[in-house]
Amino acid sequence: MQANSQTITIALSKGRPLKETLPLFAAVGIEPLEDVHTSRKLIFETTQPNVRMIIIRSADVPTYVQYGVADLGVTGKDVLLEHGAEDMYELLDLGVSRCKLMTAKIKGAQPPLGKIKVATKFINVARQYYAKKGQQVELIKLHGGMELAPIMNLADVIVDIVDTGNTLKANGLETDEYIADVSARVIASRLALKMKDEKINPIIEMLKNAVNK
């Protein structure tokens, strides 16, 4: 069911982004009426009568926005790069959940000449990155535990999110090549901005002020 013309639905990402974005929305007067961290609900009414929040996986946020189920969404730049931004606008960098999208390999290892094997969940990002470099690669889709791939000779390198780098170090890996900076971004569909701009624009402006404080 699509959001109606009176209600603004905001899709928020579970996990760390949720903990770091909720205070920003609270600063502009939008707070869930229940504890989203303990409730099993996925839809939450807020302190604003015509604004509700849905809590979903980060990777699903662009889909909910693209199909008009959510008017606004908050997800990582990594997700947007992987998903693509068709019919969506990136309105604001919230400056939270910062990390980097990088390649990594076994410490001190030299990738083989010619085609290399790359393990990642960011298949589209990796394909585009290596295509720009003119590097032939075999892409291997994984959903987690990327660090294991080079150790077990499944892949020569990985493409993954890097925060502190401690997990890489603990598994004998090191960062290699930088791909992109990642942080939480506010997105909206082209249709939502056209149909609900009078409701969406004030929220975005208030969020900008909250981020810049």
Side-chain angles (χ1 to χ4, degrees), residues 59-85:
D60 293 330
V61 169
T63 302
Y64 275 74
V65 172
Q66 183 178 357
Y67 282 89
V69 178
D71 302 298
L72 293 173
V74 177
T75 191
K77 182 64 175 180
D78 55 318
V79 174
L80 297 177
L81 290 171
E82 180 66 15
H83 184 277

Side-chain angles (χ1 to χ4, degrees), residues 151-166:
I151 298 171
M152 301 300 294
N153 294 317
L154 177 64
D156 302 302
V157 301
I158 63 174
V159 171
D160 203 8
I161 291 297
V162 177
D163 186 4
T164 63
N166 290 337

Side-chain angles (χ1 to χ4, degrees), residues 81-82 101-104 114-143 146 149 153-160 177 179:
L81 290 171
E82 180 66 15
L101 195 55
M102 301 190 71
T103 70
K115 182 183 287 189
I116 61 173
K117 293 186 292 184
V118 180
T120 185
K121 67 178 179 180
F122 301 105
I123 293 292
N124 293 329
V125 170
R127 181 182 293 112
Q128 293 170 15
Y129 175 71
Y130 285 105
K132 286 180 181 178
K133 292 182 63 178
Q135 173 73 61
Q136 283 193 318
V137 295
E138 177 186 347
L139 297 174
I140 301 169
K141 176 79 171 183
L142 291 179
H143 298 279
M146 300 298 164
N153 294 317
L154 177 64
D156 302 302
V157 301
I158 63 174
V159 171
D160 203 8
E177 299 172 354
I179 298 177

Side-chain angles (χ1 to χ4, degrees), residues 167-210:
T167 303
L168 292 174
K169 293 176 184 177
N171 288 281
L173 275 63
E174 62 182 1
T175 56
D176 191 16
E177 299 172 354
Y178 163 87
I179 298 177
D181 287 314
V182 173
S183 57
R185 312 294 172 97
V186 180
I187 59 173
S189 71
R190 191 171 300 171
L191 180 61
L193 287 177
K194 181 179 180 181
M195 303 298 293
K196 301 184 180 182
D197 61 316
E198 292 183 358
K199 296 179 180 295
I200 289 174
N201 288 338
I203 294 175
I204 298 302
E205 289 304 313
M206 289 190 294
L207 282 173
K208 285 181 180 177
N209 291 332

